[in-house]
Amino acid sequence: MKRILLVLMSVFMLAFLVGCGNDASKQAESAKPSTSEKITVQAAASLKGALTELADAYKKSHNLADDQIAINFAGSGTLRQQIEQGAPASLFISADEKNMKMLQDKDLVTDVKPFVTNELVLVVPKGQPKIELNQIATAKRIVLGNPETVPAGNYGKQVLTKLGVWEQVEPNVVYAKDVKAVTASISQGAGDAGFIYKTDAIAAGDAVQISAVTPADSHDPVIYPIGIIKKYDNALAKDFYQYVMSPEGQKVLEKYGFSTSK
């Protein structure tokens, strides 16, 4: 009788373990991105090179079609407004904390974490004399991202305000839609000086030259947060989020000149 009971207990225990294993397997399977899932990433324009490389590498390693991860690059304020209006995006990476905080206050994003940091620099066209920050008032055309929608433009305005020259130079400011447009304007000689991120100056190569690095205390910290947009969250969004935050993803970002916590 004892032997029969032992056999029955063993059978029940085996069935229980198999059941648990199946449940765990099903949960793990459901957590994996579906081959049919798609996401759109709303990302600051300054991330274009790094994030494009990350998305391409992820799609290749996961055998995804090109259209399964789309990236919309623009000024962070513009992207935030699109999300508020219901744009079908799953991830948001802002070039400042302000725009992300506005979405958090409306309970539109979750899992918000610091992503990378950057530096703000003053650039001039290649081959032109450098302009130091204390000489910025002599520039006839200063190209700046629109401070209302472009964090780099807002940081630049903060620097000029800190220097006490904003009111003096404002008539000479030419506004651009994002930092890529600022970089293009300076590289084409359409402006005498402009404020962009260090990463954009590196990406521009010989087209522009860094004239000055802005002091850290002259503007808000350049922190890029990342968050998942609740309305369009799915397994692919979560997995890509984890990938860009991983040591592998952070190495790619560092290659483009961003600073990470890794």
Side-chain angles (χ1 to χ4, degrees), residues 89-131:
S90 300
L91 294 174
F92 178 42
I93 309 176
S94 174
D96 67 353
E97 296 179 296
K98 174 186 173 183
N99 282 289
M100 185 66 80
K101 182 66 166 55
M102 292 173 75
L103 295 183
Q104 285 180 287
D105 290 344
K106 295 183 178 181
D107 199 29
L108 296 177
V109 291
T110 186
D111 295 318
V112 175
K113 293 181 180 179
F115 185 51
V116 292
T117 60
N118 211 336
E119 290 183 84
L120 189 74
V121 298
L122 181 69
V123 294
V124 297
K126 192 70 175 179
Q128 295 299 311
K130 288 187 176 182
I131 298 174

Side-chain angles (χ1 to χ4, degrees), residues 14-253:
L14 181 61
F16 175 76
L17 291 173
V18 170
C20 290
N22 287 338
D23 288 343
S25 178
K26 288 177 182 177
Q27 290 176 2
E29 196 65 33
S30 65
K32 291 180 179 180
S34 166
T35 55
S36 63
E37 286 180 332
K38 295 182 179 182
I39 61 170
T40 295
V41 181
Q42 299 276 74
S46 50
L47 285 163
K48 187 171 184 178
L51 206 59
T52 298
E53 180 174 331
L54 285 168
D56 288 344
Y58 181 89
K59 285 184 285 188
K60 184 177 181 180
S61 64
H62 289 73
N63 297 313
L64 300 182
D66 282 343
D67 66 349
Q68 286 187 255
I69 300 180
I71 309 177
N72 182 24
F73 295 104
S76 299
T78 298
L79 297 173
R80 185 258 305 160
Q81 291 171 358
Q82 291 173 358
I83 294 168
E84 290 175 332
Q85 293 164 8
S90 300
L91 294 174
F92 178 42
I93 309 176
S94 174
D96 67 353
E97 296 179 296
K98 174 186 173 183
N99 282 289
M100 185 66 80
K101 182 66 166 55
M102 292 173 75
L103 295 183
Q104 285 180 287
D105 290 344
K106 295 183 178 181
D107 199 29
L108 296 177
V109 291
T110 186
D111 295 318
V112 175
K113 293 181 180 179
F115 185 51
V116 292
T117 60
N118 211 336
E119 290 183 84
L120 189 74
V121 298
L122 181 69
V123 294
V124 297
K126 192 70 175 179
Q128 295 299 311
K130 288 187 176 182
I131 298 174
E132 298 298 331
L133 287 173
N134 60 9
Q135 301 171 320
I136 191 66
T138 65
K140 294 181 180 179
R141 292 167 299 176
I142 302 171
V143 188
L144 199 66
N146 185 340
E148 297 299 319
T149 56
V150 184
N154 185 40
Y155 297 138
K157 181 179 177 180
Q158 289 177 12
V159 173
L160 295 171
T161 301
K162 180 83 171 181
L163 291 169
V165 298
W166 171 249
E167 291 184 359
Q168 179 183 352
V169 303
E170 187 178 7
N172 302 328
V173 173
V174 178
Y175 295 109
K177 66 177 182 178
D178 55 41
V179 288
K180 295 298 181 186
V182 176
T183 306
S185 294
I186 298 301
S187 68
Q188 294 163 10
D192 300 303
F195 287 96
I196 63 175
Y197 296 120
K198 180 185 73 173
T199 52
D200 290 290
I202 292 172
D206 292 336
V208 302
Q209 59 179 332
I210 295 176
S211 185
V213 177
T214 63
D217 64 355
S218 65
H219 57 79
D220 293 338
V222 186
I223 299 173
Y224 291 56
I226 183 173
I228 297 175
I229 302 165
K230 291 183 177 182
K231 187 175 180 180
Y232 297 100
D233 183 15
N234 60 22
L236 179 56
K238 285 186 173 69
D239 200 64
F240 186 65
Y241 173 99
Q242 293 296 333
Y243 171 70
V244 298
M245 293 288 284
S246 70
E248 180 182 358
Q250 299 281 285
K251 283 182 181 178
V252 173
L253 291 157

